[in-house]
Amino acid sequence: MLPLYVTSGEPAGIGPDICLSLADRVDERPIVVLADINMLRDRAKILSKNIEIIEYQQQKQSSEQAQLYVEHVPLNEDVVLGKLNPNNSAYVLEQLRRSAYYAMNGQSVGVATAPVQKSVINDAGIHFSGHTEYYQEFAGVERVVMMLATKILRVALATTHLPLRDVADAITKARLHQVIDILIHDLKTKFKIEHPHILVCGLNPHAGEGGYLGHEEIDTINPVLESYRAQGVNMSLSLPADTLFTPENLKDADAVLAMYHDQGLPVLKSQGFGEAINITLGLPFIRTSVDHGTALALAGTGEAKSSSLQVAVDLALELAQEK
């Protein structure tokens, strides 16, 4: 049975800590962590975890210890907990490269990712916008969609990691068509929602207030939404974001499309931080992720919560069953 790969992310953060929690799982499908095996063993000792960490090529044996499969990715330099080291940026990117390569070449069902620190990768002189953009480029697809989900809410993004001053220019009719096509397709195929109901945030306060607070809704967003509504898609016109996320509005919605990162995600994370999942739509393979960052101060303390990674793995395995 093909494995699910899990990247351990930034080695100075909590990624290795939360990956160790996967040893407690009992799954039919192999789960394989991409990490420096010696670093993981050291982290298990620091956290006083009785885990047998073994190479994926080896067979798990009957044991009283929890067991964790690892594919060894060698660090460039030793890790100091909580201290970023640009010299280990290539190590982080090698995890991503392998996970994408295996998924693209039919050697895995997909990948779940622990957090990385974008800043230190850029400090190493490597341009890096994030996991989402990396996997998009590797897969060679024109557009992907970042969507975060809790048990009660899904929020997809029209734009992702952009400075706020660049967002309005990035929201074009062509981009919106691409994003909405992917969102509808994956809600139907991955999540088995036959007729998805989608609510859409306006870009401006009060969704532009009829043009008094901006024309993007009138000139760009609503004409695109109207074209989908004319095709029978159950989709709102642009709505004021400050009232869209009320329980009354959300009760029958399958997803919300927000125009930019910090428009929709604060609401979602306030409802389920630590239980939310990041899903990349539009890729030719499954990719889920945690909803949090590297939490450098918590590395090796035993205080890091692994719930988001557990849920990300759960969803990846669930989606794999549908393939």
Side-chain angles (χ1 to χ4, degrees):
M1 181 174 287
L2 292 175
L4 173 73
Y5 279 91
V6 179
T7 63
S8 57
E10 168 54 50
I14 64 170
D17 303 40
I18 60 177
C19 283
L20 290 170
S21 73
L22 300 175
D24 298 325
R25 298 178 62 101
V26 179
D27 297 285
E28 183 179 3
R29 188 179 298 278
I31 298 172
V32 184
V33 176
L34 290 162
D36 186 293
I37 196 166
N38 298 311
M39 181 270 294
L40 268 190
R41 286 170 176 159
D42 289 343
R43 194 69 60 93
K45 290 178 182 177
I46 291 169
L47 295 170
S48 300
K49 289 185 175 291
N50 186 26
I51 297 173
E52 184 180 3
I53 298 172
I54 56 178
E55 290 268 13
Y56 177 43
Q57 292 79 8
Q58 300 177 16
Q59 189 69 30
K60 288 186 178 180
Q61 303 294 328
S62 297
S63 173
E64 294 182 359
Q65 286 181 290
Q67 296 177 319
L68 181 67
Y69 277 140
V70 175
E71 179 173 319
H72 179 56
V73 182
L75 280 161
N76 291 348
E77 295 185 3
D78 290 342
V79 173
V80 178
L81 293 176
K83 185 175 181 180
L84 297 171
N85 183 350
N87 292 331
N88 280 326
S89 294
Y91 160 79
V92 174
L93 292 178
E94 176 61 12
Q95 299 171 41
L96 274 58
R97 188 200 68 79
R98 290 195 199 186
S99 67
Y101 177 84
Y102 294 149
M104 290 289 292
N105 287 276
Q107 295 173 250
S108 76
V109 294
V111 56
T113 57
V116 299
Q117 189 89 12
K118 291 188 282 289
S119 61
V120 74
I121 298 173
N122 283 279
D123 287 345
I126 305 167
H127 176 70
F128 181 76
S129 299
H131 280 106
T132 302
E133 294 82 359
Y134 181 93
Y135 286 125
Q136 174 187 355
E137 182 177 351
F138 195 100
V141 294
E142 185 176 359
R143 180 77 60 200
V144 294
V145 176
M146 179 187 290
M147 184 173 80
L148 270 76
T150 66
K151 293 179 180 179
I152 60 172
L153 179 62
R154 300 182 186 94
V155 176
L157 302 178
T159 63
T160 53
H161 300 125
L162 288 178
L164 190 55
R165 66 172 62 249
D166 296 339
V167 169
D169 290 340
I171 296 174
T172 64
K173 289 182 179 178
R175 176 190 282 262
L176 287 175
H177 275 293
Q178 289 175 325
V179 168
I180 293 170
D181 284 347
I182 291 169
L183 177 59
I184 293 171
H185 176 271
D186 281 20
L187 286 174
K188 289 181 176 181
T189 59
K190 286 186 169 70
F191 293 89
K192 308 305 178 187
I193 302 171
E194 189 172 352
H195 299 292
H197 178 202
I198 301 169
L199 302 180
V200 182
C201 297
L203 172 66
N204 297 296
H206 302 177
E209 194 75 64
Y212 288 100
L213 293 176
H215 284 263
E216 286 82 4
E217 288 79 9
I218 295 171
D219 296 338
T220 304
I221 300 171
N222 281 342
V224 171
L225 303 181
E226 286 168 347
S227 72
Y228 285 94
R229 287 159 62 93
Q231 299 170 42
V233 177
N234 189 1
M235 173 177 287
S236 74
L237 294 178
S238 57
L239 298 170
D242 62 343
T243 54
L244 181 153
F245 290 97
T246 60
E248 182 64 24
N249 285 333
L250 292 175
K251 65 180 182 180
D252 296 320
D254 295 304
V256 173
L257 176 61
M259 291 296 109
Y260 57 94
H261 188 282
D262 282 11
Q263 183 181 57
L265 298 193
V267 180
L268 180 138
K269 291 188 178 186
S270 71
Q271 292 189 5
F273 189 69
E275 301 290 339
I277 316 157
N278 185 345
I279 309 135
T280 305
L281 307 180
L283 289 172
F285 56 86
I286 295 163
R287 184 261 167 159
T288 64
S289 184
V290 297
D291 69 342
H292 57 75
T294 54
L296 297 169
L298 298 182
T301 66
E303 297 179 14
K305 295 181 179 179
S306 61
S307 52
S308 184
L309 181 63
Q310 294 285 349
V311 177
V313 169
D314 285 342
L315 179 61
L317 295 175
E318 180 183 332
L319 294 176
Q321 295 294 335
E322 303 290 344
K323 294 181 71 176

